[in-house]
Amino acid sequence: MAVERTFSILKPDATRRNLTGKINAKLEESGLRIVAQRRVQLTRTQAEGFYAVHKARPFFNDLCAFMISGPVVLQVLEGENAVAKYRDVMGATNPANAAPGTIRKEFAESIEANSVHGSDSLDNAAQEIAYFFSQCEIVG
Ligand code: CMP
């Protein structure tokens, strides 16, 4: 297995309920390392650009509105097999289908307010990281 980097967002439902520490504890317990982290208020342009791949989906406008409804925490996570590992730790997109012990099972409110985003492939991870972070902000 190779050491990888993946991209993570702690979403507005997580910051609103003051859950960022609990979520970080869970991902650190899994062996992932937070090598970059920044709390920001996204603009609509940033949210639409980030989720451009979902532009044609019926939930696109609501998703972007939700993602700018409060602060988010942007992260780069590093570890063995980080992309797949973080997806395991997050659980299924819809918390109703998420396995016990996963972040979304424990914390998510709905399929939209599902507390965390994580990259779905190594290629997308590299693109998503570059969308928000410069090389010098990532300290492994
Ligand atoms: P995320 O991993 O951030 O990627 C796209 C997001 O769209 C997803 O998590 C969900 O929070 C959100 N979303 C809202 N409605 C749906 C839906 N019906 N199907 C899939 N994703 C949805």
Side-chain angles (χ1 to χ4, degrees):
M1 272 189 302
V3 173
E4 296 174 351
R5 285 178 175 171
T6 192
F7 180 71
S8 162
I9 305 179
L10 311 189
K11 296 188 180 185
D13 67 287
T15 59
R16 176 170 46 78
R17 288 176 292 150
N18 215 19
L19 291 172
T20 61
K22 283 189 174 148
I23 293 173
N24 280 350
K26 246 179 149 34
L27 63 89
E28 288 182 340
E29 278 159 18
S30 81
L32 291 165
R33 189 170 287 272
I34 301 166
V35 295
Q37 180 166 247
R38 190 166 75 241
R39 182 176 172 110
V40 298
Q41 172 66 54
L42 293 180
T43 64
R44 182 167 274 275
T45 304
Q46 283 176 315
E48 287 178 356
F50 181 76
Y51 280 121
V53 65
H54 296 304
K55 211 173 172 59
R57 308 285 285 274
F59 57 82
F60 179 73
N61 280 335
D62 284 349
L63 171 63
C64 292
F66 169 66
M67 291 301 288
I68 63 171
S69 67
V72 297
V73 179
L74 310 173
Q75 300 175 317
V76 180
L77 308 180
E78 187 178 86
E80 291 281 341
N81 215 15
V83 173
K85 178 176 276 184
Y86 191 42
R87 291 186 75 76
D88 281 350
V89 172
M90 287 192 300
T93 304
N94 186 344
N97 303 326
T102 60
I103 291 171
R104 284 166 170 162
K105 183 67 176 184
E106 277 192 31
F107 302 121
E109 297 180 311
S110 66
I111 191 168
E112 177 175 271
N114 64 354
S115 303
V116 282
H117 165 84
S119 309
D120 62 3
S121 70
L122 203 48
D123 280 353
N124 284 342
Q127 282 185 35
E128 291 176 0
I129 290 168
Y131 189 79
F132 285 115
F133 287 99
S134 61
Q135 249 339 97
C136 65
E137 293 175 301
I138 304 169
V139 184

